[in-house]
């Protein structure tokens, strides 16, 4: 899906994860790293040896009630991007929640090009204008338990990724007005092709590591 828009240097992308369906939110306090918190003694799921890039272990769960997440990103009128998560079998924990795994509960962490951007406790977030440079970027939402383990299904993190492309306006083009004078107008911006990627259940293998 693509949009054509004047002035706004952006395109919209929608992604429905095979691990879930939609919701996103403002940044909250960062989740503790795997080095900062002990693994929860809770019997929820199975803690795997695999970890994310920060050393947080995957917590394997299964069945139809496993957490699921979908991701939608689209440009807004202010030049930024609106991010929304669609969640199933998952609810956000309030600030100050006890650091232990509880079924279907925790936070979502938002990444851009594998760099942490925000920890979410609500299902929406705005990437500000100018944060993303010209080109294609990957936006990922990943679900964590309150003990900082990563919710996982079939050995893969429960997450969803969208590829979005930010375009720069073309140089202004001049044209003849009816009275013979020269006028200029900004070129229309079009989405140069978008691709959708989902990670998590049924997603391509990344060698057991989360992005």
């Amino acid at each position: 899906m693509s949009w054509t828009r004047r002035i706004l240097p952006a395109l919209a992308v929608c992604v429905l994860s095979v691990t879930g369906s939609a919701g996103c939110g403002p940044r909250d306090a960062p989740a503790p790293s795997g080095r900062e918190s002990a693994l929860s003694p809770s019997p929820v799921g199975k803690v795997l040896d695999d970890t994310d890039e920060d050393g947080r272990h995957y917590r394997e769960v299964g069945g139809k009630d496993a957490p699921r997440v979908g991701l939608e990103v689209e440009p807004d009128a202010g030049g930024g991007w609106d991010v929304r998560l669609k969640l199933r079998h998952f609810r956000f924990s309030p600030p100050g929640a006890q650091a232990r795994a509880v079924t279907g509960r925790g936070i979502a962490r938002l990444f851009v090009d594998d760099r942490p951007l925000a920890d979410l406790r609500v299902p929406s977030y705005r990437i500000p204008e100018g944060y993303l440079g010209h080109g294609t970027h990957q936006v990922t939402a990943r679900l964590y338990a309150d003990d900082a383990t990563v919710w996982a299904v079939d050995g893969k993190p429960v997450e969803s990724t969208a590829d979005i492309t930010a375009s720069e306006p073309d140089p202004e083009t001049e044209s003849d007005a009816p009275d013979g004078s020269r006028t200029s107008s900004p070129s229309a911006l079009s989405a140069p092709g978008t691709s959708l990627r989902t990670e998590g259940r049924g997603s391509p293998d990344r060698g057991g590591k989360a992005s």
Side-chain angles (χ1 to χ4, degrees):
M1 180 179 296
S2 63
W3 287 257
T4 298
R5 176 178 291 187
R6 294 183 180 276
I7 301 176
L8 268 181
L11 70 85
V13 170
C14 294
V15 170
L16 179 62
S17 167
V18 288
T19 61
S21 139
C24 190
R27 183 165 190 164
D28 206 313
S33 71
R35 296 180 295 275
E36 295 170 341
S37 65
L39 295 179
S40 168
S42 168
V44 177
K46 177 184 178 181
V47 177
L48 306 181
D49 291 335
D50 292 332
T51 66
D52 69 3
E53 65 279 2
D54 291 323
R56 300 183 182 93
H57 285 267
Y58 292 178
R59 184 176 292 275
E60 175 80 18
V61 292
K64 63 181 180 179
D65 294 330
R68 297 169 184 261
V69 62
L71 178 65
E72 179 180 288
V73 186
E74 62 182 20
D76 64 20
W81 285 264
D82 287 327
V83 180
R84 288 185 294 275
L85 302 184
K86 295 182 179 180
L87 303 165
R88 291 182 60 190
H89 311 306
F90 184 83
R91 66 188 187 280
F92 291 108
S93 298
Q98 186 176 357
R100 67 185 183 90
V102 176
T103 301
R105 201 177 79 179
I107 69 165
R109 173 161 285 190
L110 194 65
F111 298 81
V112 173
D113 297 333
D114 295 330
R115 299 190 305 272
L117 173 62
D119 290 334
L120 311 179
R121 295 185 189 274
V122 293
S124 63
Y125 184 81
R126 181 179 184 270
I127 300 176
E129 179 182 7
Y131 184 85
L132 300 180
H134 172 63
T136 298
H137 304 273
Q138 295 174 351
V139 180
T140 299
R142 185 185 303 157
L143 302 184
Y144 291 80
D146 289 320
D147 67 346
T149 53
V150 183
W151 290 114
V153 174
D154 295 336
K156 303 179 188 299
V158 177
E159 63 180 32
S160 181
T161 296
D163 289 350
I164 65 173
T165 301
S167 300
E168 293 181 341
D170 294 331
E172 290 186 340
T173 57
E174 292 188 341
S175 60
D176 289 323
D179 61 359
S181 63
R182 304 290 289 178
T183 63
S184 62
S185 60
S187 300
L189 300 179
S190 61
T194 67
S195 60
L196 309 182
R197 264 192 330 119
T198 58
E199 305 295 342
R201 192 172 189 175
S203 64
D205 189 2
R206 288 191 172 184
K209 301 295 181 182
S211 58

